[in-house]
Amino acid sequence: MSALPGNTYHHIQISGNARVLLGNAVGQVTESTFAARADYVGQYANSSLRPVTNYVPRPRLHQKIKEQLHDQKNNDGRDYTRVLVVYGLGGAGKSQLVLQYIQEYRRDYMAVFWIEAGSKETIERDYVQIYQLLYGRQADIGQAIVKVEEAVPAVKRWFQGREGRWLVVLDSADTIDNNQHRSYIDLKYFMPDALGVHVIITSRSSTAKEITQLEAVEVAEMEALEATELFKRSAKIKEAGQKILEEIGVIVKELGYLALAITLAGLYISVTPRLQSNIGRYLPEYRQRRRVLLQRRPKQHMHRYEESVLSTWEVSYEAITLDNPAAARLLIIRKS
């Protein structure tokens, strides 16, 4: 799908010489007309490249990513293309884990490109925008639409022969299993293949592991202490005695130790006074709403997130919408 006509988009200067490109790309651009930028150092993303403020580090998983990307070079000293898959259930915290890796090792990469690969529309939009960013071309209203068929190969070729390391993240690449489905995305078509390029793919699909020979990083349940800390941060509990810690332990266990469910539960408690004073009231309410949810939603619609995430989402979203509509909209945007 091509980019949408009739829109312009803008550069925003931020710290660290990074540039974020926003909007829909328009304008006909070819490599023969515009020379590729040789000096691009920065980052591309349509959203923040920082973990959420209540993020709790997951050292074991973080180390797996670091060992296979940051610490590796081949025997000949050359840094070949490395593709790492980070997979797991929706709401497990895959994207946040990768964002933490970026935050820690950003300076070791010449640039970072965060591509939203959840749909054809978003992955093609991002490649067109990166194309214009790398070739230094700003679109003018009335010019021909940039073709994805031109943008993707040009972006991939841009990396050829460049010094240093470059990081490309294909986030939420979930529709990669059935090539007969209209939403299917052929990831290999979009993946750069050049020296020094590291590619991280986040996906709910376990078959994504077959894309690479590197050991995939599975993001599943949080460890108990990590889950407890995330709940405390989300619920804004600064001090917790033994009784409260025990109650939190019961809650996070019932939520399956899933990061998104725990975050939503904590947010709900943080805006609900009657629960702030007694978090033991949360689980009975959660269980009741879960029964209602499961009665009216067929199981085939539960494939994206675990039942605990869906139930917690419904309970939390209603409360947060009443208290802070802007925060509720943010939850919708960042829930993956």
Side-chain angles (χ1 to χ4, degrees), residues 54-76:
N54 62 348
Y55 179 77
V56 173
R58 303 171 76 170
R60 182 178 61 84
L61 299 179
H62 184 76
Q63 184 65 19
K64 284 187 175 182
I65 296 177
K66 176 179 179 291
E67 288 175 352
Q68 297 193 79
L69 290 183
H70 183 271
D71 296 349
Q72 288 296 321
K73 279 194 175 181
N74 285 55
N75 293 332
D76 59 7

PDB file of all heavy atoms in Angstrom, residues 54-76:
ATOM      1  N   ASN A  54       7.377   3.426  34.542  1.00  0.00           N
ATOM      2  CA  ASN A  54       7.336   2.421  35.613  1.00  0.00           C
ATOM      3  C   ASN A  54       8.012   1.114  35.190  1.00  0.00           C
ATOM      4  O   ASN A  54       7.807   0.072  35.812  1.00  0.00           O
ATOM      5  CB  ASN A  54       5.893   2.153  36.041  1.00  0.00           C
ATOM      6  CG  ASN A  54       5.038   1.597  34.910  1.00  0.00           C
ATOM      7  OD1 ASN A  54       5.449   1.621  33.752  1.00  0.00           O
ATOM      8  ND2 ASN A  54       3.854   1.099  35.245  1.00  0.00           N
ATOM      9  N   TYR A  55       8.827   1.171  34.138  1.00  0.00           N
ATOM     10  CA  TYR A  55       9.478  -0.048  33.640  1.00  0.00           C
ATOM     11  C   TYR A  55      10.363  -0.675  34.710  1.00  0.00           C
ATOM     12  O   TYR A  55      11.123   0.018  35.406  1.00  0.00           O
ATOM     13  CB  TYR A  55      10.328   0.275  32.407  1.00  0.00           C
ATOM     14  CG  TYR A  55      11.051  -0.940  31.861  1.00  0.00           C
ATOM     15  CD1 TYR A  55      10.371  -1.896  31.112  1.00  0.00           C
ATOM     16  CD2 TYR A  55      12.401  -1.133  32.112  1.00  0.00           C
ATOM     17  CE1 TYR A  55      11.029  -3.018  30.624  1.00  0.00           C
ATOM     18  CE2 TYR A  55      13.070  -2.249  31.625  1.00  0.00           C
ATOM     19  CZ  TYR A  55      12.372  -3.187  30.884  1.00  0.00           C
ATOM     20  OH  TYR A  55      13.025  -4.304  30.406  1.00  0.00           O
ATOM     21  N   VAL A  56      10.272  -1.995  34.834  1.00  0.00           N
ATOM     22  CA  VAL A  56      11.108  -2.755  35.757  1.00  0.00           C
ATOM     23  C   VAL A  56      12.081  -3.601  34.940  1.00  0.00           C
ATOM     24  O   VAL A  56      11.659  -4.414  34.120  1.00  0.00           O
ATOM     25  CB  VAL A  56      10.255  -3.670  36.664  1.00  0.00           C
ATOM     26  CG1 VAL A  56      11.146  -4.578  37.507  1.00  0.00           C
ATOM     27  CG2 VAL A  56       9.358  -2.830  37.565  1.00  0.00           C
ATOM     28  N   PRO A  57      13.371  -3.407  35.117  1.00  0.00           N
ATOM     29  CA  PRO A  57      14.364  -4.175  34.343  1.00  0.00           C
ATOM     30  C   PRO A  57      14.188  -5.681  34.522  1.00  0.00           C
ATOM     31  O   PRO A  57      13.814  -6.153  35.599  1.00  0.00           O
ATOM     32  CB  PRO A  57      15.701  -3.701  34.924  1.00  0.00           C
ATOM     33  CG  PRO A  57      15.411  -2.357  35.484  1.00  0.00           C
ATOM     34  CD  PRO A  57      14.001  -2.428  36.014  1.00  0.00           C
ATOM     35  N   ARG A  58      14.490  -6.412  33.438  1.00  0.00           N
ATOM     36  CA  ARG A  58      14.436  -7.872  33.461  1.00  0.00           C
ATOM     37  C   ARG A  58      15.821  -8.370  33.041  1.00  0.00           C
ATOM     38  O   ARG A  58      16.067  -8.681  31.871  1.00  0.00           O
ATOM     39  CB  ARG A  58      13.317  -8.377  32.549  1.00  0.00           C
ATOM     40  CG  ARG A  58      11.964  -7.774  32.957  1.00  0.00           C
ATOM     41  CD  ARG A  58      10.852  -8.057  31.990  1.00  0.00           C
ATOM     42  NE  ARG A  58      10.370  -9.422  32.094  1.00  0.00           N
ATOM     43  CZ  ARG A  58       9.273  -9.871  31.482  1.00  0.00           C
ATOM     44  NH1 ARG A  58       8.543  -9.040  30.749  1.00  0.00           N
ATOM     45  NH2 ARG A  58       8.897 -11.128  31.602  1.00  0.00           N
ATOM     46  N   PRO A  59      16.741  -8.425  33.993  1.00  0.00           N
ATOM     47  CA  PRO A  59      18.164  -8.647  33.693  1.00  0.00           C
ATOM     48  C   PRO A  59      18.454  -9.903  32.876  1.00  0.00           C
ATOM     49  O   PRO A  59      19.317  -9.876  31.993  1.00  0.00           O
ATOM     50  CB  PRO A  59      18.804  -8.736  35.083  1.00  0.00           C
ATOM     51  CG  PRO A  59      17.857  -8.043  35.990  1.00  0.00           C
ATOM     52  CD  PRO A  59      16.495  -8.270  35.426  1.00  0.00           C
ATOM     53  N   ARG A  60      17.760 -10.992  33.156  1.00  0.00           N
ATOM     54  CA  ARG A  60      18.048 -12.247  32.453  1.00  0.00           C
ATOM     55  C   ARG A  60      17.762 -12.113  30.961  1.00  0.00           C
ATOM     56  O   ARG A  60      18.568 -12.533  30.112  1.00  0.00           O
ATOM     57  CB  ARG A  60      17.217 -13.382  33.062  1.00  0.00           C
ATOM     58  CG  ARG A  60      17.476 -14.746  32.434  1.00  0.00           C
ATOM     59  CD  ARG A  60      16.648 -15.811  33.127  1.00  0.00           C
ATOM     60  NE  ARG A  60      15.231 -15.544  33.016  1.00  0.00           N
ATOM     61  CZ  ARG A  60      14.494 -15.891  31.945  1.00  0.00           C
ATOM     62  NH1 ARG A  60      15.054 -16.503  30.921  1.00  0.00           N
ATOM     63  NH2 ARG A  60      13.208 -15.645  31.928  1.00  0.00           N
ATOM     64  N   LEU A  61      16.627 -11.532  30.624  1.00  0.00           N
ATOM     65  CA  LEU A  61      16.259 -11.362  29.218  1.00  0.00           C
ATOM     66  C   LEU A  61      17.141 -10.298  28.560  1.00  0.00           C
ATOM     67  O   LEU A  61      17.549 -10.449  27.398  1.00  0.00           O
ATOM     68  CB  LEU A  61      14.787 -10.964  29.107  1.00  0.00           C
ATOM     69  CG  LEU A  61      13.776 -11.975  29.660  1.00  0.00           C
ATOM     70  CD1 LEU A  61      12.359 -11.433  29.512  1.00  0.00           C
ATOM     71  CD2 LEU A  61      13.906 -13.318  28.954  1.00  0.00           C
ATOM     72  N   HIS A  62      17.405  -9.243  29.289  1.00  0.00           N
ATOM     73  CA  HIS A  62      18.252  -8.175  28.762  1.00  0.00           C
ATOM     74  C   HIS A  62      19.632  -8.719  28.398  1.00  0.00           C
ATOM     75  O   HIS A  62      20.208  -8.364  27.356  1.00  0.00           O
ATOM     76  CB  HIS A  62      18.369  -7.064  29.807  1.00  0.00           C
ATOM     77  CG  HIS A  62      19.135  -5.880  29.345  1.00  0.00           C
ATOM     78  ND1 HIS A  62      18.618  -4.940  28.480  1.00  0.00           N
ATOM     79  CD2 HIS A  62      20.402  -5.480  29.619  1.00  0.00           C
ATOM     80  CE1 HIS A  62      19.527  -4.007  28.250  1.00  0.00           C
ATOM     81  NE2 HIS A  62      20.612  -4.313  28.938  1.00  0.00           N
ATOM     82  N   GLN A  63      20.159  -9.575  29.236  1.00  0.00           N
ATOM     83  CA  GLN A  63      21.483 -10.155  28.999  1.00  0.00           C
ATOM     84  C   GLN A  63      21.488 -11.009  27.742  1.00  0.00           C
ATOM     85  O   GLN A  63      22.476 -11.019  26.987  1.00  0.00           O
ATOM     86  CB  GLN A  63      21.910 -10.981  30.210  1.00  0.00           C
ATOM     87  CG  GLN A  63      23.313 -11.555  30.129  1.00  0.00           C
ATOM     88  CD  GLN A  63      24.394 -10.479  30.126  1.00  0.00           C
ATOM     89  OE1 GLN A  63      24.146  -9.340  30.524  1.00  0.00           O
ATOM     90  NE2 GLN A  63      25.588 -10.846  29.686  1.00  0.00           N
ATOM     91  N   LYS A  64      20.388 -11.725  27.488  1.00  0.00           N
ATOM     92  CA  LYS A  64      20.304 -12.558  26.280  1.00  0.00           C
ATOM     93  C   LYS A  64      20.383 -11.710  25.013  1.00  0.00           C
ATOM     94  O   LYS A  64      21.017 -12.102  24.027  1.00  0.00           O
ATOM     95  CB  LYS A  64      19.002 -13.365  26.283  1.00  0.00           C
ATOM     96  CG  LYS A  64      19.003 -14.549  27.225  1.00  0.00           C
ATOM     97  CD  LYS A  64      17.740 -15.382  27.039  1.00  0.00           C
ATOM     98  CE  LYS A  64      17.774 -16.637  27.885  1.00  0.00           C
ATOM     99  NZ  LYS A  64      16.562 -17.483  27.673  1.00  0.00           N
ATOM    100  N   ILE A  65      19.720 -10.556  25.027  1.00  0.00           N
ATOM    101  CA  ILE A  65      19.781  -9.665  23.865  1.00  0.00           C
ATOM    102  C   ILE A  65      21.190  -9.109  23.713  1.00  0.00           C
ATOM    103  O   ILE A  65      21.771  -9.113  22.620  1.00  0.00           O
ATOM    104  CB  ILE A  65      18.759  -8.522  24.009  1.00  0.00           C
ATOM    105  CG1 ILE A  65      17.344  -9.081  24.015  1.00  0.00           C
ATOM    106  CG2 ILE A  65      18.929  -7.521  22.870  1.00  0.00           C
ATOM    107  CD1 ILE A  65      16.268  -8.029  24.223  1.00  0.00           C
ATOM    108  N   LYS A  66      21.758  -8.638  24.799  1.00  0.00           N
ATOM    109  CA  LYS A  66      23.094  -8.042  24.782  1.00  0.00           C
ATOM    110  C   LYS A  66      24.136  -9.028  24.259  1.00  0.00           C
ATOM    111  O   LYS A  66      24.977  -8.683  23.412  1.00  0.00           O
ATOM    112  CB  LYS A  66      23.463  -7.581  26.184  1.00  0.00           C
ATOM    113  CG  LYS A  66      24.877  -7.022  26.322  1.00  0.00           C
ATOM    114  CD  LYS A  66      25.116  -6.573  27.752  1.00  0.00           C
ATOM    115  CE  LYS A  66      26.541  -6.035  27.938  1.00  0.00           C
ATOM    116  NZ  LYS A  66      27.548  -7.108  27.834  1.00  0.00           N
ATOM    117  N   GLU A  67      24.098 -10.259  24.737  1.00  0.00           N
ATOM    118  CA  GLU A  67      25.101 -11.247  24.358  1.00  0.00           C
ATOM    119  C   GLU A  67      25.059 -11.571  22.867  1.00  0.00           C
ATOM    120  O   GLU A  67      26.099 -11.798  22.241  1.00  0.00           O
ATOM    121  CB  GLU A  67      24.904 -12.527  25.166  1.00  0.00           C
ATOM    122  CG  GLU A  67      25.313 -12.394  26.636  1.00  0.00           C
ATOM    123  CD  GLU A  67      24.993 -13.636  27.434  1.00  0.00           C
ATOM    124  OE1 GLU A  67      24.318 -14.547  26.875  1.00  0.00           O
ATOM    125  OE2 GLU A  67      25.406 -13.709  28.608  1.00  0.00           O
ATOM    126  N   GLN A  68      23.858 -11.585  22.296  1.00  0.00           N
ATOM    127  CA  GLN A  68      23.734 -12.007  20.903  1.00  0.00           C
ATOM    128  C   GLN A  68      23.843 -10.862  19.897  1.00  0.00           C
ATOM    129  O   GLN A  68      24.079 -11.102  18.715  1.00  0.00           O
ATOM    130  CB  GLN A  68      22.416 -12.744  20.700  1.00  0.00           C
ATOM    131  CG  GLN A  68      22.329 -14.012  21.521  1.00  0.00           C
ATOM    132  CD  GLN A  68      21.166 -14.876  21.080  1.00  0.00           C
ATOM    133  OE1 GLN A  68      21.237 -15.583  20.081  1.00  0.00           O
ATOM    134  NE2 GLN A  68      20.068 -14.806  21.817  1.00  0.00           N
ATOM    135  N   LEU A  69      23.699  -9.647  20.353  1.00  0.00           N
ATOM    136  CA  LEU A  69      23.822  -8.493  19.463  1.00  0.00           C
ATOM    137  C   LEU A  69      25.043  -7.651  19.821  1.00  0.00           C
ATOM    138  O   LEU A  69      26.028  -7.617  19.101  1.00  0.00           O
ATOM    139  CB  LEU A  69      22.554  -7.640  19.505  1.00  0.00           C
ATOM    140  CG  LEU A  69      21.297  -8.225  18.882  1.00  0.00           C
ATOM    141  CD1 LEU A  69      20.163  -7.210  18.950  1.00  0.00           C
ATOM    142  CD2 LEU A  69      21.518  -8.667  17.444  1.00  0.00           C
ATOM    143  N   HIS A  70      24.965  -6.973  20.916  1.00  0.00           N
ATOM    144  CA  HIS A  70      25.982  -5.988  21.282  1.00  0.00           C
ATOM    145  C   HIS A  70      27.368  -6.601  21.435  1.00  0.00           C
ATOM    146  O   HIS A  70      28.378  -6.004  21.033  1.00  0.00           O
ATOM    147  CB  HIS A  70      25.568  -5.293  22.585  1.00  0.00           C
ATOM    148  CG  HIS A  70      26.491  -4.219  23.021  1.00  0.00           C
ATOM    149  ND1 HIS A  70      27.584  -4.464  23.829  1.00  0.00           N
ATOM    150  CD2 HIS A  70      26.512  -2.889  22.755  1.00  0.00           C
ATOM    151  CE1 HIS A  70      28.229  -3.345  24.050  1.00  0.00           C
ATOM    152  NE2 HIS A  70      27.598  -2.366  23.409  1.00  0.00           N
ATOM    153  N   ASP A  71      27.459  -7.795  22.015  1.00  0.00           N
ATOM    154  CA  ASP A  71      28.762  -8.366  22.368  1.00  0.00           C
ATOM    155  C   ASP A  71      29.381  -9.210  21.267  1.00  0.00           C
ATOM    156  O   ASP A  71      30.502  -9.706  21.434  1.00  0.00           O
ATOM    157  CB  ASP A  71      28.636  -9.228  23.633  1.00  0.00           C
ATOM    158  CG  ASP A  71      28.238  -8.413  24.846  1.00  0.00           C
ATOM    159  OD1 ASP A  71      28.261  -7.177  24.753  1.00  0.00           O
ATOM    160  OD2 ASP A  71      27.892  -9.012  25.882  1.00  0.00           O
ATOM    161  N   GLN A  72      28.690  -9.406  20.160  1.00  0.00           N
ATOM    162  CA  GLN A  72      29.131 -10.374  19.171  1.00  0.00           C
ATOM    163  C   GLN A  72      29.812  -9.749  17.961  1.00  0.00           C
ATOM    164  O   GLN A  72      29.380  -8.722  17.440  1.00  0.00           O
ATOM    165  CB  GLN A  72      27.941 -11.209  18.683  1.00  0.00           C
ATOM    166  CG  GLN A  72      27.422 -12.201  19.692  1.00  0.00           C
ATOM    167  CD  GLN A  72      28.445 -13.270  20.037  1.00  0.00           C
ATOM    168  OE1 GLN A  72      29.178 -13.748  19.174  1.00  0.00           O
ATOM    169  NE2 GLN A  72      28.484 -13.653  21.300  1.00  0.00           N
ATOM    170  N   LYS A  73      30.892 -10.408  17.528  1.00  0.00           N
ATOM    171  CA  LYS A  73      31.497 -10.169  16.223  1.00  0.00           C
ATOM    172  C   LYS A  73      31.998 -11.516  15.703  1.00  0.00           C
ATOM    173  O   LYS A  73      32.283 -12.414  16.494  1.00  0.00           O
ATOM    174  CB  LYS A  73      32.662  -9.171  16.317  1.00  0.00           C
ATOM    175  CG  LYS A  73      32.229  -7.713  16.347  1.00  0.00           C
ATOM    176  CD  LYS A  73      33.398  -6.793  16.096  1.00  0.00           C
ATOM    177  CE  LYS A  73      32.930  -5.339  16.011  1.00  0.00           C
ATOM    178  NZ  LYS A  73      34.057  -4.411  15.751  1.00  0.00           N
ATOM    179  N   ASN A  74      32.088 -11.651  14.402  1.00  0.00           N
ATOM    180  CA  ASN A  74      32.565 -12.906  13.837  1.00  0.00           C
ATOM    181  C   ASN A  74      34.068 -13.069  14.056  1.00  0.00           C
ATOM    182  O   ASN A  74      34.772 -12.128  14.418  1.00  0.00           O
ATOM    183  CB  ASN A  74      32.233 -12.965  12.345  1.00  0.00           C
ATOM    184  CG  ASN A  74      30.761 -13.230  12.116  1.00  0.00           C
ATOM    185  OD1 ASN A  74      29.919 -12.505  12.623  1.00  0.00           O
ATOM    186  ND2 ASN A  74      30.445 -14.273  11.382  1.00  0.00           N
ATOM    187  N   ASN A  75      34.554 -14.283  13.797  1.00  0.00           N
ATOM    188  CA  ASN A  75      35.963 -14.585  14.027  1.00  0.00           C
ATOM    189  C   ASN A  75      36.895 -13.702  13.210  1.00  0.00           C
ATOM    190  O   ASN A  75      38.034 -13.446  13.614  1.00  0.00           O
ATOM    191  CB  ASN A  75      36.243 -16.058  13.720  1.00  0.00           C
ATOM    192  CG  ASN A  75      35.538 -16.983  14.711  1.00  0.00           C
ATOM    193  OD1 ASN A  75      35.305 -16.597  15.856  1.00  0.00           O
ATOM    194  ND2 ASN A  75      35.219 -18.194  14.281  1.00  0.00           N
ATOM    195  N   ASP A  76      36.420 -13.254  12.051  1.00  0.00           N
ATOM    196  CA  ASP A  76      37.250 -12.404  11.208  1.00  0.00           C
ATOM    197  C   ASP A  76      37.179 -10.933  11.626  1.00  0.00           C
ATOM    198  O   ASP A  76      37.747 -10.053  10.963  1.00  0.00           O
ATOM    199  CB  ASP A  76      36.877 -12.539   9.734  1.00  0.00           C
ATOM    200  CG  ASP A  76      35.432 -12.170   9.451  1.00  0.00           C
ATOM    201  OD1 ASP A  76      34.750 -11.681  10.379  1.00  0.00           O
ATOM    202  OD2 ASP A  76      34.984 -12.364   8.313  1.00  0.00           O
TER     203      ASP A  76
END
